[in-house]
């Protein structure tokens, strides 16, 4: 049969790429179908933060295993991920300190280098930061950020080297289903057949679910990002930060830049085809105000650029991982604005699920796509402080 493979992966973001790599590593020959080009969606717009700080144990475990990849990328994948160690600081308001301590203890239990440090210690690490609105922060000395485009390209190259096929400019337009079993997909480049189809279509995943008659609550989440030129007073770099009191995250970028994203006013439910070349009206002003609250000397900086991106989001802001709908149809989507850093481990777990019937690296059963029907939404073990 023409165009037949072991597994069809829909979507060439970091998640489709990671799954293609891990399947190919196990000797399976997947075909990845991407409607535009590799990393054309959320991945190419991602801030690329790499940290392990979460309030759900499995999230931290996925991030921790992925961190092992980022640290040893050349050996485990080949090529580059652009991982840059900057140290990561999670700042929370005083009323969330108890939850922060519990989270940090959970991270330490997993084996993650994560510590509570005082506001004075934060000042020592980052002298230009305002530190009078909190007493303690969580600190991961080994964390930082990676380059999402480079990461995805090297996963794709490694997958291709092991026998995966990659087709770009190939829009999946429908599903071929018979007797309750998925058999393939129709596309703008013809029909493709496989007994297993994985939906890794990010913000577009709902459309793919509809093609197989699957109804799962799903929306899109827009995030805007600003890059600013740092004034020399800040020094050559600064830590990567999630600044919960200011609903903001920021990290250094090459070329003397700082990348800033905001956690509020991120629009839900827009078409993922919206303009991502420009940030939404008013975003830059708000982002400048926030970064200057934490780093006042940033007032001497200058705007470099600002843009947007769309991710898929679920009602509990956690991924959909596993089988749902017709037999052979799997989901690896709904990354809810935080999926880059976990992609290596998620691809590994999904390859184990497909090939061995169960993920071994991390128990991903809590992310089962049908959990909303069963009222098993994922909530943090402790007070949730970053949603
Ligand atoms: C601005 C922004 C900042 C972020 N910052 C961070 C961060 O700092 N750290 C972090 O961990 N995460 C971050 N995220 C989240 C992270 O980037 C995403 O969760 C992750 O990239 C999602 O990857 P994906 O492969 O699931 O989806 P995508 O990268 O969106 O890939 C899906 C792909 O599917 C393709 N596709 C869609 N429909 C079809 C079809 N019908 N046929 C064929 N192909 C199709 C699309 O073209 C797209 O390339 C951020 C996201 C945004 C938007």
């Amino acid at each position: 049969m023409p165009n037949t493979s072991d597994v069809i992966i829909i979507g060439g973001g970091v998640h489709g790429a990671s799954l293609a790599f891990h399947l190919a590593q196990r000797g399976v020959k997947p075909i990845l179908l991407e409607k535009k080009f590799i990393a054309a969606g959320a991945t190419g717009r991602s801030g690329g933060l790499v940290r392990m700080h979460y309030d759900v144990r499995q999230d931290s475990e996925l991030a921790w295993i992925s961190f092992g990849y980022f640290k040893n990328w050349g050996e485990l994948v080949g090529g580059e991920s652009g991982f840059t160690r900057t140290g990561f600081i999670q700042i929370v308001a005083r009323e969330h300190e108890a939850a922060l301590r519990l989270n940090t203890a959970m991270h330490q239990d997993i084996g993650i280098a994560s510590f509570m440090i005082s506001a004075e210690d934060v000042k020592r690490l980052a002298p230009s930061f305002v530190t009078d609105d909190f007493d303690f922060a969580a600190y991961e000395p080994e964390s930082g950020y990676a380059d999402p485009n480079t990461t995805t390209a090297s996963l794709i190259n490694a997958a291709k080297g092991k026998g995966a096929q990659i087709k770009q400019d190939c829009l999946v337009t429908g599903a071929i289903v018979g007797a309750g079993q998925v058999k393939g997909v129709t596309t703008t480049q013809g029909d493709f057949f496989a007994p297993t189809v994985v939906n890794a279509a990010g913000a577009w995943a709902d459309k793919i679910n509809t093609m197989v008659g699957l109804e799962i609550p799903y929306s899109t989440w827009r995030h805007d990002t600003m890059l600013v030129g740092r004034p020399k007073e800040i020094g050559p770099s600064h830590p990567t930060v999630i600044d919960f009191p200011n609903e903001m995250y920021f990290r250094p970028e090459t070329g003397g830049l700082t990348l800033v994203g905001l956690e509020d006013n991120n629009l839900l439910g827009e078409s993922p085809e919206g303009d991502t070349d420009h940030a939404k009206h008013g975003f830059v002003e708000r982002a400048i105000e926030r970064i200057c609250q934490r780093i006042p000397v940033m007032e001497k900086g200058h705007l470099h650029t600002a843009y947007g991106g769309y991710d898929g989001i679920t009602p509990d802001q956690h991924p959909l991982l596993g089988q749902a709908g017709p037999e052979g149809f799997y989901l690896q989507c709904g990354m809810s604005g935080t999926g880059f850093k976990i992609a290596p481990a998620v691809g590994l777990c999904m390859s184990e699920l497909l090939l061995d019937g169960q993920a071994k690296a991390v128990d991903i059963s809590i992310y089962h796509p049908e959990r909303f029907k069963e009222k098993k939404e994922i909530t943090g073990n402790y007070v949730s402080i970053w949603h």
Side-chain angles (χ1 to χ4, degrees):
M1 201 184 285
N3 289 338
T4 298
S5 57
D6 296 330
V7 177
I8 292 170
I9 300 169
I10 306 172
V14 69
H15 278 274
S18 177
L19 180 60
F21 167 72
H22 284 98
L23 287 173
Q25 202 171 35
R26 295 275 302 268
V28 171
K29 304 267 180 278
I31 183 162
L32 183 151
L33 308 174
E34 163 55 50
K35 74 182 169 88
K36 280 182 148 181
F37 50 87
I38 295 306
T43 299
R45 299 293 179 171
S46 183
L49 267 68
V50 173
R51 45 96 190 179
M52 278 69 79
H53 200 107
Y54 282 100
D55 65 344
V56 170
R57 190 179 177 99
Q58 287 88 338
D59 293 348
S60 289
E61 286 176 344
L62 288 170
W64 175 231
I65 290 176
S66 297
F67 177 69
Y69 282 70
F70 286 115
K71 247 174 66 174
N72 303 297
W73 198 264
E75 190 190 318
L76 294 179
V77 179
E80 303 282 337
S81 74
F83 176 69
T84 306
R85 178 182 169 180
T86 60
F88 165 77
I89 300 174
Q90 173 89 33
I91 298 174
V92 301
R94 290 185 175 93
E95 75 249 38
H96 296 306
E97 196 187 301
L100 195 72
R101 281 188 191 281
L102 286 169
N103 290 343
T104 306
M106 178 265 282
H107 303 149
Q108 289 178 354
D109 190 52
I110 293 171
I112 298 166
S114 172
F115 311 96
M116 292 292 287
I117 60 170
S118 67
E120 293 76 40
D121 288 335
V122 172
K123 194 84 185 167
R124 277 183 207 105
L125 288 165
S128 58
F129 287 14
V130 167
T131 55
D132 57 10
D133 57 331
F134 62 95
D135 292 328
F136 288 93
Y139 180 47
E140 295 174 11
E142 293 191 72
S143 297
Y145 66 92
D147 180 331
N149 284 295
T150 309
T151 298
T152 310
S154 55
L155 285 164
I156 290 285
N157 288 339
K160 277 204 296 206
K162 293 175 196 299
Q165 284 184 70
I166 311 294
K167 279 211 182 295
Q168 305 185 71
D169 283 321
C170 183
L171 174 74
V172 172
T173 51
I176 306 166
V177 181
Q181 158 79 49
V182 72
K183 296 186 187 303
V185 294
T186 59
T187 81
T188 46
Q189 292 191 36
D191 297 348
F192 292 84
F193 299 92
T196 303
V197 174
V198 181
N199 178 0
W204 297 262
D206 202 29
K207 275 193 183 168
I208 309 291
N209 289 342
T210 307
M211 291 173 191
V212 298
L214 185 60
E215 278 182 34
I216 290 187
Y218 201 86
S219 193
T220 62
W221 203 16
R222 181 176 171 110
H223 281 257
D224 288 320
T225 302
M226 170 181 80
L227 286 161
V228 282
R230 275 195 303 276
K232 61 179 181 332
E233 286 86 343
I234 294 176
S237 191
H238 57 73
T240 293
V241 176
I242 292 183
D243 180 345
F244 195 70
N246 286 313
E247 297 187 85
M248 167 179 68
Y249 57 88
F250 59 94
R251 68 159 173 87
E253 173 58 273
T254 51
L257 300 175
T258 290
L259 179 152
V260 184
L262 299 183
E263 292 292 2
D264 62 335
N265 274 19
N266 293 321
L267 298 171
L268 287 166
E270 284 201 338
S271 161
E273 302 301 336
D275 175 16
T276 54
D277 290 339
H278 305 93
K280 289 275 184 187
H281 184 69
F283 167 78
V284 166
E285 288 79 358
R286 289 190 304 119
I288 288 174
E289 200 184 310
R290 301 282 177 85
I291 193 71
C292 290
Q293 271 168 25
R294 184 59 67 202
I295 313 179
V297 73
M298 203 64 104
E299 267 177 24
K300 295 187 184 174
H302 62 271
L303 178 65
H304 181 271
T305 186
Y307 51 85
Y310 292 94
D311 204 358
I313 185 169
T314 69
D316 61 8
Q317 296 186 21
H318 277 83
L320 304 175
L321 304 178
Q323 196 278 328
E327 211 176 304
F329 186 74
Y330 288 78
L331 287 87
Q332 184 180 340
C333 54
M335 299 299 157
S336 304
T338 181
F340 170 70
K341 69 185 74 59
I342 59 169
V346 170
L348 170 65
C349 289
M350 286 295 292
S351 70
E352 291 171 344
L353 180 66
L354 295 184
L355 303 181
D356 310 323
Q358 197 179 351
K360 293 179 203 128
V362 175
D363 178 4
I364 56 168
S365 56
I366 62 160
Y367 305 108
H368 193 276
E370 304 278 25
R371 64 181 180 272
F372 305 109
K373 255 193 213 162
E374 298 156 9
K375 304 223 175 316
K376 287 189 178 157
E377 297 203 358
I378 301 171
T379 50
N381 285 331
Y382 318 120
V383 183
S384 183
I385 50 176
W386 29 78
H387 290 163

